[in-house]
Amino acid sequence: GDSVTQMEGPVTLSEEAFLTINCTYTATGYPSLFWYVQYPGEGLQLLLKATKADDKGSNKGFEATYRKETTSFHLEKGSVQVSDSAVYFCALSGDNDMRFGAGTRLTVKP
Amino acid sequence: NAGVTQTPKFRILKIGQSMTLQCTQDMNHNYMYWYRQDPGMGLKLIYYSVGAGITDKGEVPNGYNVSRSTTEDFPLRLELAAPSQTSVYFCASRDRGDNEKLFFGSGTQLSVL
């Protein structure tokens, strides 16, 4: 079935460093792709999404581009802040459900 | 605007006990979901529903039951709690159509001892 694979964590960066979290997917059709973020003690929140190939989703300085040729949707941010510390989940939408990756914990140190 | 509300926030069960995790949403969403989140394992789909009266199994349905008698409510039932069901449970909902954004509740932390 459809699935998402994320890079293993945790990731620890210094403030203002560049962030990449890798995500690849397997799907029979053409799903929409998502990044969700989970702050401590909270539920997941949508960070950004892309609905078709070559679309770029962006929000709060984060970006991800839907790459059909490499089946990837990597998350990037040019300069991370301490407040970006959270768990990040890549996800794809099936016909009726949403499938999530294992999550990548990011810690940003001042 | 309450969004998705889950109760309780925390619960400790003994092996073999039963309980119902409540989930309600006030956004008139057709689609509702139950996920469990285990450390380092991401979210696994337990059950989902595409509308009142319709439910379907997800990836890990064993040991759980659901019902969807109204659009607003989607309770998750554990009949005979087992230690393997210790997890954080999230309910989520979304609207049908192009907007596929999921709205999550704040979670229920369940321990089975």
Side-chain angles (χ1 to χ4, degrees):
Chain A
D2 294 356
S3 65
V4 170
T5 302
Q6 279 182 246
M7 66 181 285
E8 296 280 333
V11 175
T12 302
L13 295 173
S14 297
E15 207 164 23
E16 300 184 2
F18 184 85
L19 169 71
T20 299
I21 300 178
N22 290 339
C23 171
T24 58
Y25 68 90
T26 302
T28 54
Y30 301 97
S32 295
L33 301 174
F34 306 81
W35 278 100
Y36 279 80
V37 58
Q38 183 182 30
Y39 298 103
E42 299 182 9
L44 280 70
Q45 305 171 27
L46 179 66
L47 179 60
L48 54 84
K49 75 172 192 178
T51 58
K52 60 183 187 296
D54 299 326
D55 267 3
K56 178 186 284 188
S58 61
N59 186 24
K60 299 181 181 180
F62 291 89
E63 293 183 341
T65 301
Y66 191 142
R67 302 285 189 198
K68 182 182 171 186
E69 63 275 12
T70 55
T71 62
S72 65
F73 192 56
H74 303 323
L75 182 69
E76 297 181 336
K77 186 174 185 182
S79 176
V80 293
Q81 305 300 312
V82 172
S83 57
D84 293 327
S85 297
V87 182
Y88 292 82
F89 293 89
C90 187
L92 64 78
S93 61
D95 287 337
N96 291 313
D97 64 355
M98 190 83 77
R99 298 296 173 105
F100 288 84
T104 301
R105 181 177 299 279
L106 170 66
T107 301
V108 180
K109 296 188 173 181
Chain B
N1 197 356
V4 179
T5 303
Q6 285 182 242
T7 56
K9 291 191 180 300
F10 304 94
R11 184 72 185 267
I12 298 174
L13 287 180
K14 294 182 179 178
I15 295 171
Q17 286 186 317
S18 62
M19 78 163 293
T20 299
L21 280 65
Q22 301 291 344
C23 176
T24 187
Q25 52 92 9
D26 62 358
M27 297 172 283
N28 201 34
H29 285 170
N30 294 102
Y31 292 70
M32 295 188 74
Y33 306 84
W34 275 106
Y35 290 91
R36 59 177 287 172
Q37 183 181 27
D38 300 317
M41 300 296 290
L43 276 73
K44 296 295 184 184
L45 181 64
I46 305 171
Y47 270 95
Y48 67 97
S49 169
V50 300
I54 306 170
T55 62
D56 210 343
K57 295 178 180 179
E59 303 168 87
V60 290
N62 292 343
Y64 306 94
N65 280 299
V66 293
S67 59
R68 186 90 184 272
S69 56
T70 66
T71 299
E72 294 78 19
D73 300 308
F74 190 43
L76 178 72
R77 179 82 178 163
L78 283 72
E79 289 294 349
L80 291 170
S84 61
Q85 293 178 304
T86 294
S87 189
V88 180
Y89 292 83
F90 287 101
C91 179
S93 72
R94 70 171 175 91
D95 198 2
R96 196 201 313 267
D98 292 336
N99 183 6
E100 297 163 296
K101 175 181 176 180
L102 277 179
F103 292 80
F104 280 83
S106 57
T108 296
Q109 187 169 320
L110 175 67
S111 296
V112 182
L113 306 175

